[in-house]
Amino acid sequence: MRPAPGPLAPAHLAVSGLSLSFGGLKALTDVSFEVRPGTITALIGPNGAGKTSLFNCISGFYRPREGYIRLDARDITATHPPARAKAGLARTFQNIALFKGMTVLDNIKLGRHAHMRTNLLEALFYWGAARREEMDLRAEVERRIIDFLEIDHIRNKPVASLSYGLQKRVELARALAMRPRLLMLDEPVAGMNREETEDMARFILDVKEEWGISILMVEHDMGMVMDISDHVVVLNFGKVIAQGPPVEVQGDPQVAAAYLGSGNPAELMRRLSAIGEAA
Amino acid sequence: MRIATAKETYIADEGLLTTNTQRAWMIVLALVLALAPFVLNAYWLYLACLVAINVASATGLNILTGYTGLVSLGQAAFMAVGAYAVAFLDGHLGTPFLLNILAAGLIAAAVGVLVGVPSLRVKGLYLAIATIAASFILHFVFTNWVSVTGGMSGVNVAPARLFGIELASPFALYFVIVPVTALMVLGAANLFRTRIGRAFIAIRDRDISAEVLGIPLLQYKLMSFALSSFYAGVAGGMWAYFFRVVTPESFPFATSIFFLAAVIVGGLGTILGPILGAAFMTLVPELLKYVVEWLGPVFPNAGAALSPVRTIVFGALIIFFLVFEPQGLAEIVRRVRRFFHLWPFKT
Ligand SMILES: Nc1ncnc2c1ncn2[C@@H]1O[C@H](COP(=O)(O)OP(=O)(O)OP(=O)(O)O)[C@@H](O)[C@H]1O
Ligand SMILES: [Mg+2]
């Protein structure tokens, strides 16, 4: 038997001086921030601020024009997405990117791909090591992920048949199966009702505390951002306009201006929570 | 009446055959296949071998097109590579039969990897065109590399020998071709229980998010091409021993279309699909021949008049399945099974 993996150290992410443009459009300008090990960092900002573009740079879809991205001591700015996955980076997508035809279980198992070793020949024969690896994976997925996220009842269902909220949960499950050290969530509760949002917030906190994973999260739901994050980064027109602990950012007049065109923090909070409810 | 059993362990759940009924049917199938040669006449044995060869190749194409989502119209050319490889190895080196078939698969796989290189950049129709181009280049090689392929007149292949026994008749070859094909189908079924099969499906469904999950696209697309052409090469190798002569016209371009049609009619992305599809595509024209013969006494001159009709009926059947069962024959089987599984309860 291969040794069971020990607890993984949460990763430290450092983004520095990142710039990205699409043709003439500057999507990101000199963006710098950090995700400290074992914390939840929230990335907020109005629609079109560049949050998803920033995620795409970090996960390797977009090549930034300038700047670098470091995971712990390692510069990953130029590595391919699969190499980043191997280094411990996992993400979910704003508009769910599950494999619709596959079952929940297969989707989750896919998450482990990069950490498995079965080669083509072993796979065709399904003998010895290949079989053992699949069984170990199944056992671990059942015990650690399916139980934890309370998705026992849907494990054999095709993803396409699930509600939006459950699909988001399955996407989190798949990301967790990747054994990440940094988990990136793009709007994990968008489109969810109150109850589903609260469940998701609890899962995210548990992931941080019990699994010891650093989390970077884009979210419009301000209630949730203020509740669970340790650090908030505010992006507007591709620039970081404020960052700090939630309470500080909440009172920042620049942030209010970005959202409202006015400098009134109380009005901001009202509008922000309205966005959260509507989404 | 049967009631679904609660799965106590994952082990049972991860098996290929999950119920006793399935196991029983599999044993019945194995027995039928083992006893068939003693019952069937030479003509039907010939057809049985041909179906098995086509199943092997269609199963390979299904890995590439059905599961990985890469459309290929090169399957016939890869079979030809396998057939020529067998002819060359057998004729020039005299290496043993089974080794030659394995080598045919490996050589075809190597060619498949080369042909698959554009797949990182192009998809869908464009990739299909690239594989057509590759087929024509290979055809050119077959006609002109005379020292190896014998040019237009082709090469003859001596009968296969296994443990000193000459395998010249369909009866004898059946006992090699059918088990080899069965192993290949089993291999494909196993593949899709592992990370590699899942990666293929992920690439088919959404290659961008497959990358984020740590699946290197080029490597896996090439692997799928290699595997698919390995299957074609082995099938082509068996074909060479079966027909004993290989020429550039043995595997015309239309054969590639035949295989694509077989996996589509059978059901893309299922293990059963290419088996049913290849059997359908191989046997239906033969069965229609019987129908024509049978109508002979009723309509004099039927032979001449009905053979074009036969082709039309065959084409119409394919269209019928595409329109009324786009998921293929495998889906019909699944529905029938489901019906009996829940019977007598209403579904
Ligand atoms: N692939 C692309 N090509 C061209 N422009 C793009 C591309 N992706 C994003 N953009 C543009 O970059 C800007 C930032 O978009 P991005 O999706 O990163 O915003 P966001 O902060 O995630 O917004 P939202 O809250 O609506 O999800 C937008 O103006 C968008 O139109
Ligand atoms: Mg976005």
Side-chain angles (χ1 to χ4, degrees), chain A residues 5-214:
Chain A
L8 297 158
H12 176 256
L13 176 81
V15 172
S16 181
L18 214 63
S19 297
L20 172 79
S21 28
F22 299 110
L25 178 86
K26 285 186 166 178
L28 297 171
T29 314
D30 195 22
V31 171
S32 305
F33 69 94
E34 284 178 79
V35 178
R36 296 187 177 283
T39 65
I40 298 179
T41 299
L43 186 62
I44 65 169
N47 292 108
K51 304 178 298 291
T52 299
S53 303
L54 180 55
F55 261 40
N56 285 341
C57 286
I58 299 173
S59 55
F61 289 142
Y62 296 162
R63 220 20 82 74
R65 192 164 41 81
E66 272 171 59
Y68 65 79
I69 302 159
R70 272 214 290 252
L71 197 64
D72 296 327
R74 188 167 158 213
D75 187 342
I76 58 167
T77 321
T79 55
H80 287 292
R84 299 185 199 209
K86 233 177 166 153
L89 210 63
R91 74 173 280 190
T92 65
F93 292 80
Q94 184 169 352
N95 37 19
I96 305 179
L98 289 168
F99 303 102
K100 293 261 153 69
M102 291 178 151
T103 63
V104 168
L105 199 53
D106 277 341
N107 265 285
I108 300 173
K109 283 177 175 176
L110 254 168
R112 184 54 57 82
H113 182 90
H115 296 286
M116 298 175 79
R117 284 184 254 177
T118 300
N119 64 31
L120 183 56
L121 203 60
E122 292 168 332
L124 289 169
F125 288 100
Y126 201 74
W127 278 339
R131 184 191 161 80
R132 224 166 24 241
E133 192 174 57
E134 287 298 327
M135 292 302 168
D136 290 350
L137 170 61
R138 174 74 189 266
E140 194 188 322
V141 165
E142 290 285 345
R143 188 165 38 82
R144 289 204 63 193
I145 297 173
I146 291 191
D147 268 6
F148 168 60
L149 293 176
E150 299 159 15
I151 46 178
D152 317 46
H153 56 298
I154 53 166
R155 63 158 80 68
N156 287 319
K157 290 228 166 93
V159 164
S161 69
L162 302 177
S163 72
Y164 187 78
L166 275 177
Q167 292 195 17
K168 285 245 161 199
R169 206 183 283 189
V170 173
E171 217 190 7
L172 173 63
R174 186 178 69 185
L176 286 175
M178 294 175 74
R179 277 197 199 138
R181 299 187 307 115
L182 174 73
L183 179 62
M184 298 164 56
L185 306 168
D186 199 345
E187 306 202 7
V189 302
M192 288 188 176
N193 62 32
R194 247 319 111 202
E195 194 190 333
E196 287 173 323
T197 302
E198 277 163 18
D199 282 343
M200 186 56 88
R202 182 165 51 83
F203 291 137
I204 295 172
L205 270 178
D206 284 349
V207 166
K208 176 183 97 162
E209 276 153 22
E210 290 171 26
W211 295 53
I213 293 174
S214 316

Side-chain angles (χ1 to χ4, degrees), chain B residues 155-330:
Chain B
V155 263
N156 290 310
V157 181
R161 299 187 70 85
L162 193 61
F163 309 123
I165 305 165
E166 193 174 273
L167 310 176
S169 64
F171 177 84
L173 281 166
Y174 180 98
F175 291 100
V176 177
I177 292 174
V178 171
V180 167
T181 296
L183 273 182
M184 288 164 79
V185 170
L186 178 66
N190 280 336
L191 185 71
F192 292 98
R193 299 200 275 163
T194 68
R195 73 173 196 136
I196 294 181
R198 286 193 297 268
F200 286 166
I201 300 174
I203 290 172
R204 176 192 69 191
D205 289 355
R206 253 173 201 279
D207 53 3
I208 298 293
S209 50
E211 259 197 312
V212 177
L213 295 178
I215 298 165
L217 296 185
L218 181 62
Q219 185 191 333
Y220 275 82
K221 286 180 174 179
L222 293 184
M223 197 191 288
S224 187
F225 259 100
L227 195 58
S228 168
S229 18
F230 176 84
Y231 274 60
V234 169
M238 297 194 292
W239 192 100
Y241 279 117
F242 192 65
F243 289 99
R244 305 250 306 277
V245 59
V246 188
T247 75
E249 301 319 313
S250 298
F251 299 94
F253 177 66
T255 308
S256 285
I257 297 174
F258 170 94
F259 283 112
L260 195 59
V263 287
I264 292 173
V265 167
L268 284 166
T270 60
I271 293 299
L272 196 55
I275 300 176
L276 298 175
F280 177 91
M281 295 287 290
T282 315
L283 294 179
V284 167
E286 298 298 325
L287 293 176
L288 288 175
K289 229 185 255 173
Y290 268 88
V291 173
V292 169
E293 266 170 39
W294 189 59
L295 289 176
V298 189
F299 304 100
N301 307 333
L306 287 179
S307 64
V309 174
R310 195 163 59 91
T311 318
I312 293 171
V313 170
F314 182 47
L317 274 175
I318 294 176
I319 293 170
F320 176 85
F321 277 114
L322 292 184
V323 172
F324 291 98
E325 195 45 83
Q327 313 254 55
L329 298 168

